[in-house]
Amino acid sequence: MPTILDKIITHKRQEVIDRQALVPVKLLEKSLYMDSQPLSLRHYLLRDDLSGIIAEFKRKSPSKGVINAHAPVERTTLGYMQAGASALSVLTDTEFFGGKNEDLTVARRYNFCPILRKDFVVDEYQILEAKSIGADAVLLIAAVLTGEEVLRLGRFAKSLGLEVLLEIHNAEELDKTLHPDAVSLVGVNNRNLHDFSVSLDISGELAQRIPNDYVKVTESGLSSAADIEALRAVGYRGFLIGETFMRHGRPEKACAALVQQLRATEAVTLL
């Protein structure tokens, strides 16, 4: 049986063809962001003065349906930064997540921090598009790409100055797709693609399999300072959090509360 990810990728391949016809490469290359120097997601996550949180703007998902259809991009993303997040993640997929490229461009206009374009990359066109809308990093999902595709797409991203976050779900995906020439960060998604269950144990189990040359990011299911501290203890420096924030009426306030929780925990640890 095809998974929801299979359905998304099938749709995405056709979407890329349609978008190329609508917005050709030559038009993307005229964007004012094409000549800008992207910020380093890796660097921001390694900063000791920041939380390590990658705060995500996401309206809906296939597993949860509509999460928050009304939160404004500018107020939410600026609020995330003011709350103490290290970086932003913005969903730009429309069909399954209710996002759009303009969401990221608006976030870029209001924030000076790294922004990850969260989408389902299958073609170089999408990477060029990411740069043209103001992204600093792109996501490559190992579950839908071969090792050769990750290498090709990752090298292309790096040629544009973008960093690559490689998302994995298990050790097999890590072994087949991890390329030092293409990847800067490795993200472990704690969500099972078949039944949508979430377990932070996945990040715990894979922590030691990921070489220390890569910044380790954990994704999905994080909801407390205790979760972050436990995974930080085994080597994670990035903590991608979306639904925990977005299901609140004011996602930025939920982010602020978690950052305060985290700082309080850190202060106790130092005593």
Side-chain angles (χ1 to χ4, degrees):
M1 291 290 292
T3 66
I4 185 62
L5 191 54
D6 295 327
K7 295 177 183 177
I8 291 172
I9 295 303
T10 297
H11 182 274
K12 190 62 59 175
R13 292 189 189 281
Q14 183 58 50
E15 181 183 289
V16 169
I17 294 170
D18 295 341
R19 288 190 68 81
Q20 283 179 304
L22 185 65
V23 186
V25 166
K26 288 188 179 297
L27 193 55
L28 294 181
E29 291 174 339
K30 293 181 180 179
S31 165
L32 61 89
Y33 295 113
M34 293 306 296
D35 294 326
S36 64
Q37 178 61 43
L39 298 169
S40 172
L41 177 60
R42 177 187 175 93
H43 172 73
Y44 271 66
L45 293 182
L46 291 175
R47 282 176 53 173
D48 291 329
D49 61 323
L50 296 175
S51 65
I53 291 173
I54 305 171
E56 187 161 89
F57 186 86
K58 173 171 67 174
R59 292 187 174 88
K60 67 178 185 178
S61 75
S63 61
K64 298 293 183 179
V66 175
I67 300 169
N68 189 330
H70 304 294
V73 179
E74 59 273 24
R75 186 185 72 192
T76 303
T77 58
L78 183 58
Y80 279 159
M81 288 299 95
Q82 293 173 336
S86 295
L88 298 170
S89 170
V90 179
L91 262 296
T92 57
D93 174 79
T94 302
E95 181 72 13
F96 298 92
F97 289 86
K100 51 189 176 181
N101 287 349
E102 291 77 11
D103 291 341
L104 196 148
T105 302
V106 170
R108 172 81 290 153
R109 191 180 307 134
Y110 284 88
N111 296 278
F112 186 79
C113 67
I115 302 179
L116 170 71
R117 186 200 190 182
K118 191 86 171 287
D119 212 310
F120 301 85
V121 174
V122 295
D123 190 274
E124 283 91 344
Y125 176 84
Q126 294 164 283
I127 296 173
L128 190 65
E129 187 179 50
K131 178 74 183 268
S132 77
I133 61 176
D136 303 288
V138 294
L139 183 75
L140 296 182
I141 303 175
V144 299
L145 299 169
T146 65
E148 291 74 17
E149 287 171 328
V150 168
L151 182 59
R152 173 171 53 82
L153 294 169
R155 282 177 170 171
F156 182 67
K158 291 182 78 172
S159 76
L160 297 175
L162 303 176
E163 290 183 340
V164 171
L165 172 62
L166 175 69
E167 179 178 290
I168 62 167
H169 298 83
N170 52 54
E172 181 183 359
E173 290 178 0
L174 176 68
D175 293 342
K176 79 168 186 175
T177 58
L178 189 60
H179 291 287
D181 290 345
V183 176
S184 300
L185 311 96
V186 177
V188 178
N189 193 327
N190 301 304
R191 189 181 303 280
N192 185 300
L193 295 178
H194 297 281
D195 60 13
F196 297 128
S197 62
V198 176
S199 172
L200 299 186
D201 290 342
I202 297 173
S203 282
E205 292 164 3
L206 291 174
Q208 299 310 310
R209 294 291 300 268
I210 304 169
N212 291 328
D213 296 341
Y214 303 91
V215 173
K216 302 174 188 179
V217 178
T218 176
E219 311 168 20
S220 299
L222 302 162
S223 61
S224 69
D227 292 339
I228 292 174
E229 287 295 339
L231 290 168
R232 185 177 281 161
V234 296
Y236 288 91
R237 297 300 297 269
F239 310 92
L240 197 152
I241 304 175
E243 183 189 332
T244 295
F245 298 152
M246 291 300 297
R247 68 187 178 202
H248 288 263
R250 294 290 296 270
E252 68 278 12
K253 291 189 175 182
C255 180
L258 180 56
V259 172
Q260 289 174 358
Q261 216 183 88
L262 190 59
R263 288 173 177 164
T265 302
E266 291 168 348
V268 170
T269 303
L270 291 173
L271 294 178

